[in-house]
Amino acid sequence: MPRVIIHDAIDEAGLDLLAGRADLEVCEVARDDDERLRREIADADGLILRYLPLGTEALAASTRLKVIARHGVGCDNIDLATATAMKIPVATVGDANAVTVAELTLYFMLALAKRSRHYDESVRQGDFLVREAADHLELYGRTVLIIGFGRIGRRVAARCRAFEMSVECCDPYIPQQDIVDAGCTPVASLAEALPRADYVSVHVPLNDETRHLIDRTVLNSMKPGTIFVNAARGPIVDGEALHEALEAGHLAGAGLDVFDEEPPRLDDPLLRHPSTLLMPHMGGSSRGAFVRMATRCAQNVLDALDGRLDSSFVINPEALE
Ligand code: NAD
């Protein structure tokens, strides 16, 4: 009987979908039980994976794995080259949480523009006259630069347009007409666009090209007072350089859902900086998204075992050849 391993808790909706199939054996492995996962993977046919890094050694232990269904979109925790060489398709949840991350991005932009931490605390402390500063900002009429115009980036763009912002997008890997058709302006390079942008939000995958894409040079090229958002992956940004830019007052604020190291060290200066607004990497994990992701993962596993996995969810299509 085919065996499906679920590593870490997923929503009941996904479990119910799998339970509906009497011809499957489902084995749930707790988050911290890496050892058991490595044992169970040996004779698993399907794997639903949340956060654990799945490296070469663990993959090599599998003898009949037919699919890895990632409970999310980013796959930087999976050794893709080995999975592909072993002809194991890696399927993601597509756009199941794209809206969720886009909403979080707008939350960061708005809360930082309104200086929400500062004013909330001032009212609680009885300092109502702080209002005389009249210094919070608007999104209206401002320019946002969106880096990466994929599932999330284009949803951020649509929401920014609803706020009557001017939306510029940098994504050299897609037809530039897609950006124009979405009512936005394509830009050829970050260097060209950064000095114009009031808000910068990054929505690219983490890979060798994008690691530290936002480095000291890029941060220094931003307009003074820029509000920066990273709800993609921590290592896309040089955290030390970001802290310097905030400390120097060059950036007005940074919204961070993701960190270089997760969880971040308590002595990470970004945790203590008054101009940062933080979330514990849950930009894609709203209630609704959690149900959608679990359902999609479970469906991807069932489809793969039935030989009809939808290739649009597969990020290493070479594995299907
Ligand atoms: P996607 O694959 O649909 O879009 C990514 C886009 O980035 C693509 O259009 C690609 O062409 C573009 N791109 C790649 N390299 C680039 C570069 N150097 N410069 C500019 N553009 C580049 O992915 P998505 O679903 O929009 O997700 C984006 C990333 O967001 C994921 O890879 C994941 O790491 C992250 N994410 C985070 C959370 C969270 O909880 N915070 C949730 C979901 C996804």
Side-chain angles (χ1 to χ4, degrees):
M1 186 184 283
R3 297 186 76 228
V4 177
I5 312 285
I6 304 176
H7 180 251
D8 206 349
I10 66 167
D11 190 85
E12 290 289 330
L15 297 176
D16 289 349
L17 201 55
L18 294 171
R21 285 277 296 258
D23 59 337
L24 279 188
E25 186 191 337
V26 176
C27 165
E28 291 181 64
V29 177
R31 169 175 302 193
D32 299 328
D33 206 348
D34 301 353
E35 202 37 60
R36 177 154 176 237
L37 176 72
R38 291 196 165 84
R39 254 194 344 266
E40 300 285 359
I41 205 172
D43 59 353
D45 297 272
L47 169 65
I48 291 180
L49 186 73
R50 283 191 65 193
Y51 303 116
L52 181 84
L54 192 66
T56 318
E57 204 186 316
L59 272 171
S62 72
T63 55
R64 55 180 218 221
L65 202 53
K66 293 174 190 65
V67 64
I68 299 170
R70 169 81 181 95
H71 185 279
V73 175
C75 285
D76 39 280
N77 59 335
I78 299 172
D79 176 356
L80 269 186
T82 302
T84 306
M86 293 174 74
K87 296 281 178 207
I88 304 170
V90 177
T92 72
V93 296
D95 60 4
N97 62 5
V99 162
T100 324
V101 182
E103 283 189 7
L104 181 84
T105 302
L106 267 291
Y107 155 77
F108 276 138
M109 288 169 62
L110 281 164
L112 288 163
K114 302 300 165 194
R115 305 190 62 205
S116 71
R117 284 185 62 195
H118 169 65
Y119 286 118
D120 179 274
E121 195 49 36
S122 301
V123 176
R124 288 172 202 276
Q125 298 292 327
D127 182 7
F128 210 71
L129 284 180
V130 71
R131 70 199 288 261
E132 300 295 333
D135 63 351
H136 66 86
L137 305 171
E138 291 163 340
L139 269 52
Y140 166 73
R142 301 291 176 138
T143 298
V144 58
L145 171 63
I146 296 171
I147 307 171
F149 198 69
R151 289 171 293 237
I152 297 170
R154 56 188 71 205
R155 285 171 169 85
V156 172
R159 282 154 183 76
C160 289
R161 275 174 40 80
F163 276 88
E164 299 181 70
M165 301 184 82
S166 162
V167 184
E168 303 198 355
C169 304
C170 180
D171 190 332
Y173 298 111
I174 57 159
Q176 300 301 288
Q177 191 58 39
D178 287 4
I179 298 175
V180 176
D181 291 347
C184 307
T185 307
V187 294
S189 73
L190 294 184
E192 171 208 331
L194 287 169
R196 283 194 296 270
D198 303 290
Y199 298 80
V200 175
S201 193
V202 63
H203 300 286
V204 299
L206 173 64
N207 53 38
D208 289 344
E209 186 203 349
T210 61
R211 192 173 296 276
H212 281 198
L213 175 72
I214 309 298
D215 61 8
R216 195 165 271 109
T217 309
V218 166
L219 287 160
N220 288 339
S221 308
M222 290 181 188
K223 190 169 163 177
T226 295
I227 286 175
F228 173 71
V229 175
N230 182 11
R233 284 291 182 267
I236 292 169
V237 180
D238 177 344
E240 214 178 290
L242 175 62
H243 180 257
E244 275 170 31
L246 289 162
E247 195 62 9
H250 180 59
L251 297 192
L256 305 173
D257 184 42
V258 287
F259 303 85
D260 233 339
E261 226 179 278
E262 292 185 4
R265 292 191 330 267
L266 284 178
D267 62 355
D268 182 337
L270 288 170
L271 265 59
R272 270 175 280 121
H273 203 282
S275 303
T276 56
L277 188 61
L278 312 174
M279 285 284 276
H281 194 157
M282 61 183 299
S285 310
S286 66
R287 225 20 254 120
F290 210 60
V291 172
R292 293 191 295 274
M293 287 195 289
T295 311
R296 177 36 61 197
C297 280
Q299 193 61 55
N300 281 343
V301 166
L302 295 177
D303 288 349
L305 298 182
D306 293 341
R308 50 181 178 139
L309 177 60
D310 181 341
S311 59
S312 68
F313 293 109
V314 176
I315 58 155
N316 58 342
E318 312 88 297
L320 297 171
E321 282 160 14

